[in-house]
Amino acid sequence: MKRALITGITGQDGSFLAELLLDKGYEVWGMARHDSWVRPHCASHLAKRLKMVFGDMSEGIDIATAVIDSQPDEIYNLASQSRPGESWARAAETLLVNGAGAIRLFEAVRHHRPECRVYHASSSEMFGQALESPQDEGTPFNPVNPYAAAKVYAHHMVRIYRGSYKLYIASGLLFNHESERRPIHFLTQKVAYGAACAALGIEDSPDLNETGRPIVQRGKLALGNLDISRDWGYAGDFVEAMWLMLQRDRPDDYVIGTGKLHTLRDLCAAAYGAVGHDWRQSVVSDPALVRPLEPGQLLANPAKARQELGWTPKVAFDEMVRRMVHAQVERLRERAETGA
């Protein structure tokens, strides 16, 4: 039986990946902070099927202990400060977790489990103000926020450790991937939440945005720049690509995305359309929510993943958005019924 260790197992990707590996017969270990594990999270439903080690990705001894205790055949490094917008306010923490945390993991593998295969989560945010479109594995990086800069550092260290110590470390340059498990502070989930509020006639939502105001206030969902565009795919599809990367004879870097571009306006139209509403009656642009610098047109060219991994996304954009909206409708209905 293969054994896998997943850092960041409590998040969206970690939970989908744990399900995938359990279904394939793996013994799955997770690493998370104890306070994150005891609260409700994306992998709560898997708690009895997982083995856990507790620690912090900013602490080298915690990472080494996790590797020694779990003795994994595969490690999936998904732990990160995962919000690009918030990285402006938490720049030092973002570098510590997303950059230095990855290096500490590679060091732990080098010293304690060098035969282990490692997947490292890079990001399309590294392309930033992209110098060409679409982006592939050879596109130059041009980051525009602290999150992306930390990811670029870790990505370069993947190649250095791979070349210098012959470690098996594969890197996935994942474009935006969403699901019904996304936390409410992510942009796509806010849109799904706004559509759910419209469907249920909620004028002032119980949940707040980053400015401390209701996400939906007086029937309006406030967003930032409505003209941004992204390559949005479904998280459940993307974790399969992670697994496929570690099944090859040699490690490499792969761009993972749908190759299809959608604007924020498209996202709003799909979300509100899923509940029979016109988004233009419910969405407004708020300058306070615009990032200091926005990435350019981020569009994946996943040809290498398609050719070498045999990977293609299965869940279409509209279906992904529909799932997210309906999950928010059910969440808000349950909340109203229980008074929580």
Side-chain angles (χ1 to χ4, degrees):
M1 176 185 292
K2 280 188 175 182
R3 189 178 297 177
L5 171 65
I6 304 173
T7 71
I9 198 167
T10 59
Q12 168 191 261
D13 293 5
S15 65
F16 276 115
L17 179 61
E19 288 175 346
L20 176 74
L21 297 179
L22 288 167
D23 288 346
K24 291 182 179 296
Y26 281 65
E27 178 180 295
V28 179
W29 289 63
M31 178 182 174
R33 294 191 304 271
H34 189 268
D35 61 335
S36 297
W37 181 252
V38 297
R39 296 194 300 263
H41 53 79
C42 293
S44 293
H45 64 294
L46 301 173
K48 293 182 179 180
R49 303 176 65 190
L50 303 172
K51 296 180 182 295
M52 290 297 300
V53 285
F54 297 109
D56 195 307
M57 282 298 291
S58 64
E59 298 292 339
I61 188 65
D62 290 354
I63 298 170
T65 299
V67 172
I68 293 169
D69 287 354
S70 62
Q71 289 294 295
D73 301 295
E74 299 173 0
I75 296 176
Y76 295 86
N77 183 32
L78 309 184
S80 72
Q81 191 295 99
S82 58
R83 287 174 269 178
E86 189 171 316
S87 70
W88 292 100
R90 300 166 62 187
E93 177 188 343
T94 299
L95 177 59
L96 187 63
V97 175
N98 297 7
I103 310 313
R104 292 187 175 107
L105 175 62
F106 303 157
E107 279 292 298
V109 170
R110 182 166 78 92
H111 289 288
H112 304 294
R113 193 68 174 169
E115 70 276 21
C116 180
R117 296 187 172 193
V118 179
Y119 167 82
H120 174 72
S122 290
S123 172
S124 63
E125 287 273 338
M126 300 189 306
F127 296 120
Q129 291 289 346
L131 304 178
E132 57 188 51
S133 186
Q135 295 87 47
D136 61 22
E137 294 77 8
T139 301
F141 300 135
N142 191 21
V144 296
N145 58 58
Y147 169 88
K151 284 289 188 179
V152 169
Y153 169 70
H155 184 80
H156 284 310
M157 294 303 288
V158 166
R159 297 184 177 186
I160 290 170
Y161 271 74
R162 199 161 59 197
S164 299
Y165 302 115
K166 309 306 178 187
L167 296 181
Y168 190 114
I169 311 176
S171 180
L173 291 84
L174 270 57
F175 280 63
N176 293 66
H177 48 290
E178 316 297 330
S179 77
E180 58 277 19
R181 298 181 188 178
R182 267 295 196 207
I184 195 67
H185 51 255
F186 280 85
L187 171 63
T188 51
Q189 197 68 289
K190 285 181 184 174
V191 174
Y193 181 86
C197 287
L200 298 174
I202 297 174
E203 288 288 311
D204 293 286
S205 69
D207 294 288
L208 307 180
N209 64 19
E210 56 265 45
T211 66
R213 294 177 293 173
I215 294 175
V216 173
Q217 190 171 28
R218 299 187 184 91
K220 302 293 184 181
L221 170 66
L223 300 175
N225 180 7
L226 298 177
D227 294 320
I228 64 166
S229 56
R230 294 288 186 272
D231 182 335
W232 276 299
Y234 188 64
D237 291 339
F238 281 43
V239 299
E240 182 185 18
M242 300 176 189
W243 176 78
L244 287 169
M245 288 180 210
L246 298 195
Q247 311 315 306
R248 292 184 57 78
D249 292 337
R250 63 180 182 84
D252 209 341
D253 306 325
Y254 293 91
V255 162
I256 303 298
T258 70
K260 298 178 180 178
L261 200 63
H262 294 278
T263 66
L264 181 51
R265 298 175 191 274
D266 294 333
L267 177 65
C268 292
Y272 283 81
V275 290
H277 283 256
D278 183 348
W279 72 274
R280 292 168 293 188
Q281 305 302 315
S282 302
V283 176
V284 295
S285 179
D286 182 351
L289 299 177
V290 176
R291 292 188 198 176
L293 281 174
E294 284 285 358
Q297 187 181 88
L298 297 180
L299 175 63
N301 175 4
K304 182 178 176 181
R306 184 170 56 247
Q307 294 164 7
E308 296 188 6
L309 304 178
W311 179 84
T312 54
K314 300 179 180 66
V315 177
F317 175 78
D318 285 348
E319 171 60 17
M320 175 191 75
V321 177
R322 185 195 67 80
R323 293 184 189 184
M324 294 175 67
V325 172
H326 288 182
Q328 286 295 342
V329 169
E330 291 305 311
R331 173 176 170 267
L332 285 166
R333 279 179 176 160
E334 181 180 351
R335 189 170 182 174
E337 290 170 0
T338 61

